[in-house]
Amino acid sequence: MKKLINAPDDLVGEALEGMALAHGELLRVNAAPLFVARAEAKARGKVALLSGGGSGHEPLHAGFVGRGMLDAACPGAVFTSPTPDQIFEATRAVDGGAGVLHIIKNYTGDVMNFEMAAELAGEAGIAVEGVIVNDDVAVEDSLYTAGRRGVGTTVLAEKICGGAAEAGLPLGEVATLCRRVNAHGRSMGVALSACTVPHAGKPSFELGPGEMEVGIGIHGEPGRRRAQLEPADRVAELLMQPILDDLPFKPGDDVLLFVNGMGGTPLIELYVVYRRAHAIARERGLKVARSLVGSYITSLDMAGVSATVLKLDDEMIRFWDAPVHTPALRWGA
């Protein structure tokens, strides 16, 4: 194992320390319990957005803390859910009186701990709505979930709902929008190599030189099948076909096409995949109205790619286009 770390037990804390030093104008790190919040004072009367999960998926979630996206993020240990007390204290820290939306990826530990934190928040008089993201079409159940996993649509929900919260929408409307984003987003991924968890010191699974895993999860979980490595255009087809077969759409619909790197894939290769994915969407009669290409929800050093298609409506487009200023995403005034 070759890693730019000091000690596995110190990895998350030291990474967050570095993040706070690099982006001190945007965020602050609370040490005990551990969470990341906006550097600015919480906005009174604005719905706050909070998400979290195991570390190792950077820039998700802490990289999306800032104006136009999350108010706070709760990082667990690598591939390990944050604890209820982390989530509760972060919820309390960012609540400005208008309530807090929890955006939760559908992994058993995340769901359980966010539910417990929401109960604690309710007892403290804080209004909380929780929305579970379960957009992965690869498998119905996996090692970590009951039902579909939450993957790429999480990023899109955090951006769109962050824009809605900044615009002053109330908690119920922001939560409804988040559920609509989840219902209209579909994702699937392919791995060319496994990731190496620092505490384990070895790859989470083995792939032969000419093999790929189709339908992986962001923790390195196995997918639908193991197959021979294919050219980029064929990989794009293997991702897009099940997504578009599952997504409720009609020709002429506007969509957002998101091609995501899993941590070890160069951007040049992601654009090759995007080129074919875009063509497939158009062949199916869809209008690619918005796009995102890059490594935004990763699995440590895994080489691979995922695709996400979100069926857009006018409200989603409006809030997707809203200004955002976070360590990982910055655009607008």
Side-chain angles (χ1 to χ4, degrees):
M1 180 180 73
K2 294 182 179 179
K3 295 280 189 183
L4 290 173
I5 65 173
N6 294 307
D9 287 343
D10 299 330
L11 173 58
V12 173
E14 290 181 350
L16 291 173
E17 182 181 350
M19 195 172 189
L21 291 169
H23 305 291
E25 79 285 8
L26 296 176
L27 51 81
R28 63 181 178 86
V29 175
N30 189 83
L34 188 62
F35 63 83
V36 180
R38 295 191 193 186
E40 62 196 29
K42 59 186 175 184
R44 292 290 174 185
K46 184 191 86 70
V47 171
L49 266 64
L50 186 153
S51 192
S55 297
H57 306 304
E58 288 72 22
L60 195 80
H61 293 276
F64 301 129
V65 171
R67 178 170 53 86
M69 289 191 77
L70 297 177
D71 293 86
C74 293
V78 172
F79 295 176
T80 303
S81 301
T83 61
D85 68 303
Q86 282 180 267
I87 301 164
F88 168 62
E89 291 297 342
T91 299
R92 185 160 62 175
V94 298
D95 175 47
V100 181
L101 176 67
H102 289 172
I103 300 177
I104 310 157
K105 300 187 304 301
N106 188 34
Y107 294 95
T108 303
D110 289 6
V111 172
M112 178 179 65
N113 290 349
F114 269 91
E115 287 178 347
M116 293 174 64
E119 291 178 5
L120 294 172
E123 293 170 1
I126 302 170
V128 172
E129 290 254 17
V131 176
I132 296 173
V133 179
N134 56 353
D135 59 315
D136 189 353
V137 303
V139 292
E140 188 58 36
D141 297 289
S142 76
L143 299 176
Y144 291 80
T145 66
R148 290 180 169 181
R149 300 173 291 213
V151 284
T153 300
T154 311
V155 177
L156 312 184
E158 291 177 357
K159 171 64 189 79
I160 291 169
C161 296
E166 297 288 353
L169 269 65
L171 178 59
E173 292 184 21
V174 179
T176 296
L177 174 62
C178 193
R179 294 186 183 100
R180 194 161 76 246
V181 171
N182 178 61
H184 290 89
R186 301 289 189 277
S187 300
M188 187 164 164
V190 165
L192 309 184
S193 71
C195 60
T196 300
V197 177
H199 279 88
K202 61 182 181 180
S204 55
F205 58 88
E206 296 292 337
L207 282 174
E211 291 182 324
M212 62 182 181
E213 186 77 23
V214 180
I216 47 87
I218 58 173
H219 304 94
E221 311 98 300
R224 288 185 167 188
R225 61 189 175 90
R226 189 156 296 185
Q228 290 300 301
L229 182 63
E230 302 261 21
D233 282 3
R234 178 58 181 153
V235 170
E237 292 164 4
L238 291 171
L239 298 178
M240 291 293 286
Q241 182 176 341
I243 288 172
L244 297 182
D245 287 347
D246 196 275
L247 183 70
F249 74 90
K250 61 183 184 297
D253 281 342
D254 289 335
V255 299
L256 188 159
L257 176 58
F258 173 25
V259 170
N260 175 67
M262 300 305 295
T265 305
L267 188 57
I268 190 171
E269 297 178 19
L270 300 183
Y271 279 117
V272 174
V273 174
Y274 179 86
R275 163 188 161 274
R276 179 59 187 143
H278 187 281
I280 293 167
R282 295 192 63 180
E283 289 164 7
R284 298 286 288 266
L286 304 178
K287 177 185 176 184
V288 181
R290 298 292 186 273
S291 60
L292 185 66
V293 182
S295 295
Y296 293 105
I297 175 169
T298 65
S299 184
L300 292 170
D301 54 345
M302 179 186 286
V305 61
S306 66
T308 301
V309 179
L310 172 64
K311 179 180 174 180
L312 293 166
D313 57 35
D314 290 343
E315 189 176 41
M316 292 181 199
I317 291 173
R318 172 191 169 198
F319 294 129
W320 177 260
D321 290 344
V324 61
H325 192 196
T326 75
L329 282 174
R330 303 183 185 207
W331 68 67

